Amino acid sequence: MSRVIRIHDEIGGFDYAGARASGESIREKIKSEIESGGYVTLDFAGIEGISHSFADEIVGIIVRAFGIEFIKKGDLRLQNANDDIKAILNFVIRESRKNSTSA
């Protein structure tokens, strides 16, 4: 089972994902899919940038709860993410990994 989450659509068509609250429903969708044994593709088409808070909401909290394994085994995939988005997500993942309950 897999799910594609189009960030642009999820945040109302904006090109920048900045608010933590915007990421909350996305995080819940990711969590639900992972818990059911599926994987998630985050599609960043149309997104120019994201904030640290948004990145923490969509991946940081999950890494702290589930550990890094879901990323290592490909349960979370990126599509159409520019280098800035990838850098912020990677930073949040590294920081969250240090505080993971499953590390």
Side-chain angles (χ1 to χ4, degrees), residues 33-50:
E33 194 66 39
I34 290 171
E35 288 177 336
S36 69
Y39 68 89
V40 175
T41 300
L42 298 177
D43 185 354
F44 286 91
I47 301 294
E48 298 295 321
I50 62 173

Side-chain angles (χ1 to χ4, degrees), residues 9-61:
D9 295 343
E10 293 287 329
I11 65 167
F14 297 101
D15 65 357
Y16 184 82
R20 183 174 286 278
S22 300
E24 189 174 350
S25 66
I26 295 169
R27 177 178 42 83
E28 288 302 319
K29 291 175 184 178
I30 294 168
K31 182 180 173 210
S32 175
E33 194 66 39
I34 290 171
E35 288 177 336
S36 69
Y39 68 89
V40 175
T41 300
L42 298 177
D43 185 354
F44 286 91
I47 301 294
E48 298 295 321
I50 62 173
S51 70
H52 182 275
S53 297
F54 180 83
D56 185 60
E57 192 66 41
I58 65 171
V59 295
I61 291 171

Side-chain angles (χ1 to χ4, degrees), residues 4-101:
V4 175
I5 298 174
R6 290 173 179 78
I7 304 298
H8 190 260
D9 295 343
E10 293 287 329
I11 65 167
F14 297 101
D15 65 357
Y16 184 82
R20 183 174 286 278
S22 300
E24 189 174 350
S25 66
I26 295 169
R27 177 178 42 83
E28 288 302 319
K29 291 175 184 178
I30 294 168
K31 182 180 173 210
S32 175
E33 194 66 39
I34 290 171
E35 288 177 336
S36 69
Y39 68 89
V40 175
T41 300
L42 298 177
D43 185 354
F44 286 91
I47 301 294
E48 298 295 321
I50 62 173
S51 70
H52 182 275
S53 297
F54 180 83
D56 185 60
E57 192 66 41
I58 65 171
V59 295
I61 291 171
I62 291 177
V63 168
R64 290 191 297 276
F66 295 102
I68 194 74
E69 289 306 310
F70 82 100
I71 291 176
K72 286 184 177 179
K73 65 182 189 177
D75 291 343
L76 183 66
R77 302 164 187 196
L78 300 180
Q79 185 175 331
N80 299 310
N82 65 33
D83 289 342
D84 290 339
I85 291 170
K86 289 176 188 175
I88 292 169
L89 291 171
N90 283 327
F91 176 80
V92 167
I93 289 166
R94 280 192 311 274
E95 291 301 305
S96 295
R97 186 176 183 186
K98 294 175 186 176
N99 300 313
S100 171
T101 59

